[in-house]
Amino acid sequence: MRVVLAGLATSHPYTDARTLTRHAELVVWEQDPERLRRFTEEHPAAKVAGSLGEALAARPDGVVLTVPNPQVPGALARVLETGVPCFVNKPAAASRDQLDALDRLAIHERVLSSSVLRFAPAFAGVRVDPGEVLAVRATVRHDVGLWAGGYNAWQDTPGEGGGTMVTMGVHGVELLVALLGPDVRLVGAAGAKRHYQGLRSEDTGVMALRWGSGVTGTVEILGVTEGESYVVTVHRRDGSRTIAIESGDDPLTGLGYEGTIDAFLSMVRDGAPSPVPWAETRAILDVLVTAREVT
């Protein structure tokens, strides 16, 4: 099996490769020489391609796509031409223009884009009866201090990577939509800089959501934090249920990285459709893009 890692724009493909290398031959393409050097030092057996076209010409069985958000629509269009399964590392769009460009693509059923948390063992098997739910809340704790020093500035730029509201907010919105479905819209959002004044976006944020059923939801984003964790609270008449997702002793398993790659490999090996329908991903992206627009 051969898998192309098309881009190393964030930390995620480095993590993905640690699982993929146990199952497949890796071909990697990355525009930044320093990022590529870091990757090949860890994975010296990976074959290096000089361009996206060269990587795709290697006849991969699947593609993991991780390029800066403005480049996603163009790069994904080229991957779609091959017909092979594709995992687009989150978030697939961070602005209205980017989302509109994705809408013009013929995205097939073997394209997956998701927060890895959906596949975390602590969350993956959770089911709720929407008729019993009064409200839901997701709390995202993930420090964004690296951006304040200029690291990956495109991620912190609202019009490019979406900033904290989008890049970290996707985790909370993903978890709530996984529970309650894609019939959801944003009804309000706000962000602030509470600590990292050097940011281009915000380090704290909040979103208010409403499902067509009438259930309301809140996503809290805390980008100033000593620890990384994700908590979902489901409120019902008889009390509240809390689901906590933490890295534990093995972050690859605990945070859902391995589960995500397992889902991707099921698409590659077995021809399975994406476990997250694109319509659901599209609903999540619309919430995030709208939150970015109003803040």
Side-chain angles (χ1 to χ4, degrees), residues 70-93:
Q71 300 175 27
V72 170
L76 180 56
R78 298 185 68 181
V79 176
L80 291 173
E81 290 174 358
T82 70
V84 302
C86 182
F87 170 48
V88 184
N89 263 306
K90 65 85 184 170

Side-chain angles (χ1 to χ4, degrees), residues 133-149:
V133 176
L134 299 175
V136 290
R137 180 177 72 246
T139 301
V140 174
R141 299 186 69 96
H142 190 303
D143 199 82
V144 297
L146 273 176
W147 294 347

Side-chain angles (χ1 to χ4, degrees), residues 25 38 77 156 253 265 290:
E25 172 188 293
R38 283 171 43 210
D156 184 35
T253 299
L265 290 176
T290 306

Side-chain angles (χ1 to χ4, degrees), residues 165 189-193 202 204-206 295:
M165 185 70 70
K193 293 180 189 178
E202 57 280 299
T204 57
V206 63
T295 55

